[in-house]
Amino acid sequence: MNNNNNTHNSNKPNLNFWQIWNMCFGFLGIQFGFALQNGNVSRIFQTLGAQVDDIPILWVAAPLTGLIVQPIIGYWSDKTWGRFGRRRPFLFLGAVLTTIALFIMPHSPTLWIAAGMLWIMDASINVTMEPFRALVGDNLPEKQRATGYGLQSFFIGIGAVLASALPWMMTNWFDVSNTTVIGEIPNSVKYSFYWGGVVLLAAVLWSVATTKEYTPEQLNKFEEQKGQYQPIEIADINYNKGGIVFIVLGFSILALVMGLALEKELYLLAGGLLVFGIVQWIAGLLKTKNHTQGGFYQVVQDVFTMPAAMKQLAWVQFFSWFTLFAMWIYTTSAVTSFHYGSSDTTSKAFNDGADWVGILFAAYNGFAAIAAMCIPFLVRLLGLKGAHCLNLLLGALGLASFMFISSPQMLLIPMIGVGFAWASILSLPYAMLSNSLPSNKMGVYMGIFNFFIVIPQLLAASILGLILRHAFSNQPIYALLIGAASFVLAAIAVMRVKNSN
């Protein structure tokens, strides 16, 4: 039911609670798949023979896929309109592909096939996730967007609780074995992935079936009526110069790695610099030939002319997601080795510890669902920046305490802080950002915003293993301590954001 007593700064009708609920419900399914991936892929990799220090480089597929897929999907969905809408075709396609990947992943016969399936799964999740973010900006007036992103955080928490706990529930409630022979994935993990695929598809289809979209013409009319967005002045960017700088820097690092036989993870850093340089060089070539209307050039230009609010939030996202990636890829090996005393993937201690990590991940997501309901009150008390800063510091305290808690059961307590940080990361930066974006580029800018999520994950994959080997005797528990320090830096960065709406 639309409410015509809408905001003073937007002419979009307010949506009622259940309309927003239906629109965001699909995020429960997305997070079901995402949480199964985060909680079990390191376990699958180790079961198929990966060493602890190999895990970061194997995980690189996930953030790299998001870096490529999200801005492309955002650009295409901005330009798409048909009988099924603007964002909804992408929601449906991504959900089907992710479900197929979830069914196949636990049957991977070798380590490299598992790494390839992670790539496919993450690409499919990103095809669905990016349009969901843009859909909130499309359909809601400004004052309701925080509610929309908050509900997404709530569903993320609920979905992740259930998905993270599924392997443990399979073993402890349904007597499904969590151990097996060397090189084979336990049935508890396999059955969890099957259920995850079903839940993901059903939840996304619900949102697709119950959500209406505004046409591009309607959105343009709302934008004109609002009359507040100021077009960004396009600067004369010298792409050739930037391309040369990054290509030279990338080749220099590559030569050092090869010449001095440095760690293989540094190839990723060199490759990232080279790719960014080549992208700029291609953009410069297109500009020289006046071929500037294509999607590739438009996305590159949008990267270099992004709104000021996005630039200010870049460091906040960078340090936040560096921590999250460290936590996702190292918590299993940290808890099994530090708290359960085993790195033998065939031992009961290791698999009990890996199952308990699923419960810990379920716990922080459950606390995130509660935090999603508390955060609006914190925002009223402290403002957007103050609330986000507090939540990030709670997360830092939680991760740091892993070093000082010996009982696995007591690790549930730090998950409260991690949950508040997670819920805040999933909502408040988007609330700060969304009101500064034009509706006709909501998708592509949300995709570009994902760069500041992906780049720190790629950096973590490049250097975390190296840091642990050389500074901390390859003990994965220290990755969580490094993550705690990174959360503190994110908290400092958010207080430096100047325009938070």
Side-chain angles (χ1 to χ4, degrees):
M1 176 177 178
N2 291 339
N3 178 2
N4 290 320
N5 295 321
N6 38 31
T7 65
H8 66 280
N9 57 0
S10 174
N11 287 289
K12 286 180 187 172
N14 290 340
L15 301 187
N16 66 35
F17 176 78
W18 292 113
Q19 288 173 313
I20 302 174
W21 173 281
N22 289 336
M23 180 173 60
C24 297
F25 185 73
F27 243 95
L28 183 147
I30 293 175
Q31 193 59 29
F32 223 92
F34 197 53
L36 283 170
Q37 172 184 293
N38 290 340
N40 295 280
V41 167
S42 288
R43 177 182 187 173
I44 290 172
F45 285 163
Q46 284 186 266
T47 300
L48 294 174
Q51 301 301 311
V52 169
D53 55 358
D54 289 329
I55 291 176
I57 201 68
L58 291 169
W59 265 89
V60 74
L64 185 60
T65 303
L67 184 68
I68 298 168
V69 170
Q70 287 218 20
I72 293 174
I73 295 300
Y75 178 83
W76 282 350
S77 66
D78 283 340
K79 304 295 183 182
T80 296
W81 181 257
R83 60 180 296 189
F84 298 111
R86 189 184 198 188
R87 315 292 182 187
R88 287 181 295 166
F90 295 93
L91 303 182
F92 174 78
L93 176 64
V96 171
L97 293 175
T98 306
T99 297
I100 294 171
L102 284 167
F103 278 30
I104 296 174
M105 178 73 177
H107 292 281
S108 301
T110 65
L111 180 60
W112 289 108
I113 290 178
M117 286 309 306
L118 173 61
W119 192 301
I120 294 170
M121 187 189 307
D122 207 77
S124 304
I125 289 174
N126 276 290
V127 169
T128 304
M129 185 179 295
E130 195 287 329
F132 259 119
R133 293 291 191 196
L135 191 61
V136 170
D138 288 343
N139 281 10
L140 295 181
E142 291 180 6
K143 77 172 186 180
Q144 287 192 311
R145 287 175 183 169
T147 301
Y149 291 121
L151 262 180
Q152 286 187 353
S153 294
F154 174 78
F155 284 125
I156 285 170
I158 297 299
V161 167
L162 298 173
S164 298
L166 260 184
W168 183 90
M169 290 190 290
M170 289 290 175
T171 299
N172 292 275
W173 292 1
F174 303 105
D175 201 28
V176 178
S177 176
N178 71 347
T179 59
T180 185
V181 298
I182 295 175
E184 186 172 323
I185 310 304
N187 282 336
S188 60
V189 175
K190 289 181 180 178
Y191 295 166
S192 297
F193 272 64
Y194 300 157
W195 276 106
V198 172
V199 171
L200 184 146
L201 186 61
V204 174
L205 289 181
W206 178 266
S207 287
V208 169
T210 59
T211 301
K212 304 298 181 183
E213 296 186 73
Y214 291 115
T215 66
E217 291 76 20
Q218 289 174 312
L219 289 172
N220 288 338
K221 191 171 183 179
F222 288 135
E223 201 71 41
E224 292 170 5
Q225 290 171 340
K226 186 174 65 172
Q228 287 190 346
Y229 177 73
Q230 298 298 321
I232 297 170
E233 184 178 345
I234 304 301
D236 186 17
I237 301 163
N238 190 337
Y239 293 115
N240 291 325
K241 180 179 179 181
I244 291 171
V245 169
F246 278 92
I247 290 172
V248 169
L249 186 58
F251 273 122
S252 299
I253 294 177
L254 185 62
L256 285 173
V257 174
M258 295 176 67
L260 301 177
L262 300 177
E263 278 78 357
K264 61 183 180 296
E265 291 91 338
L266 293 175
Y267 282 115
L268 179 61
L269 179 61
L273 294 170
L274 281 171
V275 168
F276 188 52
I278 291 170
V279 165
Q280 290 186 72
W281 178 79
I282 294 173
L285 187 63
L286 291 172
K287 183 179 178 181
T288 300
K289 295 185 176 182
N290 203 29
H291 295 161
T292 59
Q293 300 305 311
F296 179 89
Y297 183 86
Q298 290 294 316
V299 171
V300 174
Q301 180 176 267
D302 288 337
V303 169
F304 282 89
T305 58
M306 67 183 72
M310 192 183 299
K311 295 177 183 177
Q312 293 166 346
L313 287 163
W315 289 108
V316 181
Q317 294 293 83
F318 180 91
F319 291 119
S320 299
W321 285 87
F322 186 95
T323 297
L324 292 171
F325 195 70
M327 181 181 72
W328 290 332
I329 65 177
Y330 278 111
T331 299
T332 296
S333 52
V335 170
T336 53
S337 62
F338 189 82
H339 298 91
Y340 281 82
S342 177
S343 297
D344 179 3
T345 60
T346 63
S347 69
K348 188 175 187 304
F350 175 90
N351 283 286
D352 285 346
D355 284 350
W356 187 244
V357 169
I359 295 300
L360 295 178
F361 278 24
Y364 89 71
N365 281 288
F367 291 128
I370 297 171
M373 295 182 284
C374 298
I375 283 175
F377 298 101
L378 290 177
V379 170
R380 291 192 189 101
L381 289 173
L382 304 173
L384 284 169
K385 294 193 296 183
H388 196 42
C389 178
L390 174 62
N391 292 327
L392 290 170
L393 292 176
L394 289 174
L397 182 62
L399 285 180
S401 66
F402 269 65
M403 286 285 297
F404 309 102
I405 295 175
S406 58
S407 168
Q409 287 69 34
M410 294 299 291
L411 292 176
L412 287 168
I413 297 174
M415 292 296 99
I416 299 173
V418 174
F420 268 77
W422 177 231
S424 194
I425 289 166
L426 292 172
S427 56
L428 295 188
Y430 294 96
M432 295 183 208
L433 175 67
S434 62
N435 293 343
S436 68
L437 301 181
S439 63
N440 66 330
K441 289 195 172 184
M442 185 72 69
V444 69
Y445 276 133
M446 285 292 180
I448 291 170
F449 197 49
N450 187 59
F451 288 177
F452 308 125
I453 294 173
V454 171
I455 292 171
Q457 294 180 62
L458 294 175
L459 182 63
S462 299
I463 67 172
L464 265 179
L466 185 151
I467 292 172
L468 292 183
R469 281 195 297 274
H470 292 283
F472 300 109
S473 302
N474 213 24
Q475 296 182 53
I477 190 68
Y478 285 98
L480 303 185
L481 192 61
I482 293 169
S486 187
F487 261 161
V488 172
L489 292 175
I492 294 171
V494 77
M495 296 309 296
R496 297 175 62 85
V497 175
K498 291 182 179 179
N499 57 336
S500 63
N501 286 332

